Amino acid sequence: MANEIDLKLLNAEYLASKTIEKFGICSHEHIRVRDIAFALGATVIEQKISRAAASIVSVGNYATIRIPPMDSPERKKFSIAHELGHLVMNHVESIQKVCSDEDMMNWYQSSQETQANFFASELILPKNLVERRCDVAEVNFEPIIQIAKDFRSSLTTTAIKFVRLCPEKCAVVFSSRGKVRWFYKSPDWWPFIRRDKKLDKRTLAYDFFISKPMDKKPVEIDADAWIESNGINEIVEHSIGSPRHGLCAFYPLD
Ligand SMILES: [Zn+2]
């Protein structure tokens, strides 16, 4: 699995795991990103930032991370961890680095933003504390919701980590306004999922966006409702929704 992921991203995860090790963290209760930031020389300030999700200013051995006060605790945690990733990986070249919402959702490239996201994911959800819980017989949102609750991480961040560590081939898709916005799939699984595609009427996620009661259980559906045909006939979809967007996880039926 690991050889399908860019080396820069693996390095980002490695640096986060070293940070976890350095602070002797062996339980989810001990992952306090503000304390870790402070110990690494970064002060966190909650302050409205125009047109940005978070920023970091670094001069010498000192750094200041700014995050918006209105964000959820889970989002604040991710933003701090993301900015710490930039700091630890020496990305703050011109004193200040400003990161957008899109940067925080960039899981596709090997750019500095993707590296910072992989760093944040590993800092908040360390592999050695989470991997065992991702080894499940059936892929669905139950273990993801439980991990998110325990680690106080967002469902989105947790779902991505789950897919990254789950031994089963699976994918998570984030939709809004009836369209696929982005997805993350197992590193060794190659179905083609089109971004910006309108949700297929056969998907559970479609029901959510037309305000139809959505099946809350995992359901078997035609694979081509989600992915371009690659020899898979059926998949199992499990979807959850919030007022603005929907998250869906699915895996192929053998
Ligand atoms: Zn960034």
Side-chain angles (χ1 to χ4, degrees):
M1 183 186 282
N3 59 1
E4 306 294 355
I5 290 191
D6 190 282
L7 280 178
K8 284 180 187 163
L9 303 181
L10 290 178
N11 184 53
E13 285 184 336
Y14 171 76
L15 291 171
S17 68
K18 280 287 160 204
T19 308
I20 289 287
E21 205 179 295
K22 183 176 162 189
F23 290 99
I25 293 166
C26 51
S27 157
H28 57 78
E29 290 100 346
H30 300 148
I31 306 170
R32 299 187 192 98
V33 290
R34 285 173 199 251
D35 292 351
I36 295 172
F38 184 74
L40 294 175
T43 306
V44 177
I45 294 175
E46 297 201 16
Q47 191 179 61
K48 208 174 167 194
I49 321 165
S50 69
R51 294 193 292 273
S55 73
I56 182 163
V57 173
S58 176
V59 181
N61 292 327
Y62 300 99
T64 302
I65 292 170
R66 286 187 170 80
I67 52 166
M70 300 303 282
D71 280 355
S72 68
E74 293 81 11
R75 177 57 193 259
K76 285 177 184 173
K77 196 172 183 182
F78 187 83
S79 297
I80 295 166
H82 175 103
E83 297 307 328
L84 279 179
H86 285 315
L87 183 68
V88 168
M89 292 184 279
N90 297 314
H91 293 167
V92 197
E93 287 156 357
S94 57
I95 301 180
Q96 179 171 226
K97 192 159 186 70
V98 180
C99 304
S100 67
D101 280 328
E102 273 192 15
D103 291 336
M104 304 272 178
M105 294 225 191
N106 187 339
W107 297 91
Y108 299 99
Q109 300 156 338
S110 60
S111 67
Q112 290 188 348
E113 295 309 329
T114 318
Q115 291 170 48
N117 287 336
F118 270 72
F119 180 95
S121 165
E122 184 61 21
L123 195 70
I124 296 169
L125 297 157
K127 182 180 175 183
N128 65 346
L129 299 182
V130 175
E131 191 168 33
R132 187 177 44 85
R133 297 174 63 170
C134 300
D135 190 357
V136 293
E138 288 181 4
V139 174
N140 60 60
F141 270 101
E142 273 174 38
I144 298 172
I145 290 168
Q146 200 50 52
I147 295 168
K149 211 169 149 190
D150 290 346
F151 284 75
R152 292 182 188 161
S153 58
S154 73
L155 269 182
T156 308
T157 308
T158 313
I160 290 167
K161 190 70 175 200
F162 179 89
V163 170
R164 167 95 175 84
L165 298 177
C166 180
E168 301 292 326
K169 290 182 171 70
C170 56
V172 60
V173 178
F174 177 94
S175 314
S176 68
R177 295 183 194 146
K179 282 184 175 179
V180 170
R181 294 302 169 192
W182 57 262
F183 58 87
Y184 188 80
K185 59 193 179 184
S186 306
D188 58 351
W189 193 34
W190 301 102
F192 186 69
I193 306 166
R194 204 151 47 86
R195 288 174 79 182
D196 289 328
K197 179 192 172 184
K198 277 190 182 168
L199 292 173
D200 190 291
K201 288 182 179 174
R202 292 169 290 175
T203 63
L204 303 185
Y206 178 85
D207 293 344
F208 171 73
F209 287 103
I210 59 163
S211 304
K212 203 172 139 189
M214 186 173 69
D215 210 321
K216 290 189 173 135
K217 291 186 187 140
V219 170
E220 291 176 21
I221 66 162
D222 294 337
D224 65 355
W226 276 111
I227 60 180
E228 304 283 312
S229 175
N230 65 350
I232 299 165
N233 294 324
E234 282 191 309
I235 58 168
V236 177
E237 173 188 349
H238 190 200
S239 275
I240 55 170
S242 73
R244 282 193 308 120
H245 60 255
L247 266 183
C248 137
F250 59 75
Y251 65 97
L253 269 184
D254 292 332

